[in-house]
Amino acid sequence: MPTSPLHVLVIGGGTGGLCLAQGLKRAGVSVAVYERDRTRSDGLQGYRVGIDADGKRALRASLPQQLYDTFIATCAKRPVYFNQYTERLSQLFSSGPEIFKTPPNFVDLDLDELVSRMTLRQVLLTGLDDTVRFDKRFTHYEQHADGTVTAFFDDGTSVTGDLLVAADGTTSRVRAQYLPHATLLDAGLTGITGKTLLTDETRQLLPKEIIDGVTMVQGKKGFMCVIHVMQFPWDTRGELKDGIGRTEAELISQWPGLLYDNSRDYIMWGFAAADYWLPADTMERKGARAQHLVQQLTTDWHPNLRRLFALGDPDSCFPLKIRTSEPLEPWKTTNVTLLGDAIHTMTPGRGVGANTALRDAALLRKNLIAAHQGHTTVLDAVRDYETRMATYAFEAVAASRQSMNGHAAHHQDSLAGKLARTVMRTNMQTIGVDRSPRRSGQGPVAA
């Protein structure tokens, strides 16, 4: 495999793939991204993701300074409460400003941020107009004796480079060809997520602690719902709000991605239940049908919560089958590698999936720059990346699976299940949870 010059092919324009492309381009490494969406504004719209210290460090290392500053400026307001409520809106506990205040020895990079996934995507796409090719659906690849690799697309075109990076998500076609033995396990849970605009009416449905925090609602049968209010620096008309900093206002006003961003203040809600309790066709219920299913499953929930679901935008609702990767034995390193969900899909139980993908991108970027500069070979750079990535990523996979398992006792329709749910609620009321301020940007479920 060549050491220099280097041309990298990235399949998939999600969080990890775009972060890698930004970092390589910034370092002068030739890179091209091939994304199946047809335009910059296609894809998942508006759902939130927490960016932790690992994610922020990866973004700062990969993005030009002004673009990183724009990322920070476009983040939503940080929560000041972490809450647990019952489905009847009875408070189990609430950790407030005394928990979420910033310790004096923390630096900015230690503090979590919250951002709309679409906003983050627009940040990562900024400046990559000549790098990202849209409407390109990968079909397969071929590796050649000269150390190059060719990617083929369903429109009959192909491209050749020195390294192919799979960043095409949980259903990765690259992984299916490269590591066909890699399997995904069903976590026994399905989520249905949606968003409801934050208005005077919807604000009145929830107590202040929920409006200004991250909340887990614990219902009967193990049903649960995360609620998080996302409040951005711009208003419903897309105009910058009064009171935001002058520098932030200038960055956002000059950022071209705002033209493509549809995020306005909204209440994100993510309902989840064990598959045992759900109809067999849950995954086929999109939009209004998914929204109605949530309402049907929560007939005994507080009227304000049911109203919140009813006022949701039907087009924002969709079901999500929660799956997780199984750890893999080390594989032979070649000129094909993988990052993010393409290799280590995890449940949203710890909210670290996107951050692990960003960590992958930063590590692979660093190694490939070394190869580009002739300090190592591409093969050795990839081998080091894969060895280190497999360790931290599959540890995160295991922890996330433990945090969100539809086969756990509290999801069961049995005496043991009811007892487990009672014990869980009692523990919440008496001892709360150990919630570090550094993790304050994350809820137990990320949509």
Side-chain angles (χ1 to χ4, degrees):
M1 297 177 67
T3 56
S4 182
L6 175 64
H7 181 57
V8 180
L9 310 176
V10 179
I11 306 300
T15 301
L18 292 176
C19 182
L20 175 63
Q22 285 278 1
L24 292 178
K25 181 176 180 180
R26 183 183 178 195
V29 179
S30 177
V31 58
V33 179
Y34 299 88
E35 166 57 39
R36 65 189 174 195
D37 284 343
R38 297 186 63 185
T39 70
R40 176 172 176 157
S41 59
D42 286 347
L44 184 61
Q45 311 268 327
Y47 302 86
R48 77 97 157 99
V49 61
I51 303 298
D52 64 15
D54 286 335
K56 287 176 74 173
R57 285 182 167 83
L59 290 169
R60 191 175 74 165
S62 303
L63 300 178
Q65 184 62 49
Q66 186 172 7
L67 194 53
Y68 177 79
D69 291 342
T70 301
F71 155 70
I72 295 297
T74 55
C75 288
K77 177 183 175 182
R78 289 192 183 111
V80 293
Y81 295 93
F82 178 73
N83 314 294
Q84 292 274 0
Y85 277 75
T86 71
E87 79 282 4
R88 299 298 302 172
L89 274 184
S90 295
Q91 187 183 94
L92 293 170
F93 77 88
S94 178
S95 299
E98 75 282 357
I99 298 297
F100 284 90
K101 65 184 178 182
T102 304
N105 60 337
F106 270 31
V107 298
D108 177 72
L109 281 174
D110 289 322
L111 299 174
D112 286 5
E113 304 292 348
L114 288 152
V115 66
S116 156
R117 284 187 182 270
M118 178 53 78
T119 303
L120 179 58
R121 189 181 196 215
Q122 298 311 317
V123 168
L124 291 172
L125 281 167
T126 299
L128 295 183
D129 293 343
D130 59 347
T131 302
V132 180
R133 280 70 162 169
F134 289 101
D135 202 16
K136 303 294 287 188
R137 293 171 179 80
F138 171 88
T139 58
H140 65 286
Y141 67 82
E142 291 181 2
Q143 293 169 296
H144 310 295
D146 65 355
T148 59
V149 57
T150 299
F152 296 85
F153 304 94
D154 68 358
D155 59 4
T157 62
S158 63
V159 292
T160 299
D162 301 304
L163 178 70
L164 186 148
V165 180
D168 50 344
T170 299
T171 59
S172 171
R173 290 186 175 182
V174 179
R175 184 189 67 241
Q177 179 181 350
Y178 189 55
L179 300 173
H181 58 286
T183 57
L184 293 175
L185 295 179
D186 188 338
L189 287 167
T190 298
I192 300 176
T193 191
K195 65 178 182 178
T196 302
L197 288 178
L198 182 63
T199 64
D200 290 342
E201 177 184 3
T202 57
R203 186 182 291 273
Q204 295 303 313
L205 295 174
L206 303 171
K208 173 180 172 57
E209 290 83 0
I210 295 182
I211 291 292
D212 291 333
V214 178
T215 303
M216 277 298 297
V217 178
Q218 304 288 352
K220 297 176 182 178
K221 303 178 182 178
F223 292 179
M224 52 190 171
C225 183
V226 63
I227 298 175
H228 189 178
V229 180
M230 297 287 286
Q231 301 181 65
F232 298 100
W234 51 90
D235 61 22
T236 56
R237 299 164 296 176
E239 297 179 3
L240 297 175
K241 295 177 180 176
D242 293 334
I244 70 168
R246 182 179 189 180
T247 302
E248 289 81 358
E250 291 175 358
L251 283 167
I252 295 172
S253 65
Q254 296 171 9
W255 172 50
L258 190 60
L259 298 173
Y260 304 92
D261 191 286
N262 72 336
S263 299
R264 301 294 180 263
D265 292 356
Y266 63 86
I267 305 168
M268 192 285 289
W269 47 267
F271 175 88
D275 294 339
Y276 176 88
W277 302 103
L278 301 176
D281 67 345
T282 295
M283 288 303 297
E284 300 170 15
R285 302 193 184 201
K286 315 293 184 183
R289 294 186 66 214
Q291 182 180 19
H292 292 158
L293 178 57
V294 173
Q295 294 173 274
Q296 292 167 12
L297 293 168
T298 57
T299 54
D300 60 344
W301 286 36
H302 193 282
N304 285 18
L305 293 175
R306 290 179 50 74
R307 181 63 175 163
L308 177 69
F309 300 145
L311 291 174
D313 178 1
D315 290 337
S316 76
C317 300
F318 63 90
L320 177 66
K321 191 69 174 173
I322 298 174
R323 294 178 288 179
T324 182
S325 297
E326 280 195 297
L328 292 171
E329 292 296 322
W331 58 90
K332 180 181 178 181
T333 297
T334 72
N335 59 355
V336 174
T337 193
L338 311 93
L339 64 74
D341 285 345
I343 184 60
H344 49 67
T345 293
M346 60 190 75
T347 80
R350 291 293 184 94
V352 295
N355 291 295
T356 309
L358 290 170
R359 184 176 178 180
D360 294 348
L363 174 57
L364 185 55
R365 163 197 168 273
K366 178 181 177 182
N367 286 10
L368 291 180
I369 290 172
H372 175 70
Q373 295 173 344
H375 302 307
T376 186
T377 67
V378 173
L379 200 62
D380 285 342
V382 172
R383 182 182 295 110
D384 177 75
Y385 157 73
E386 290 177 342
T387 301
R388 295 165 62 184
M389 174 271 291
T391 299
Y392 65 72
F394 285 112
E395 286 177 356
V397 167
S400 296
R401 182 180 179 184
Q402 187 176 14
S403 298
M404 205 167 189
N405 182 0
H407 307 293
H410 65 277
H411 289 290
Q412 298 175 10
D413 182 22
S414 64
L415 180 60
K418 293 177 182 178
L419 178 60
R421 291 190 287 273
T422 299
V423 170
M424 184 170 63
R425 285 195 179 190
T426 301
N427 288 341
M428 290 176 190
Q429 288 174 307
T430 56
I431 64 174
V433 294
D434 178 15
R435 187 69 177 174
S436 165
R438 284 203 305 164
R439 311 302 295 173
S440 63
Q442 295 176 226
V445 181

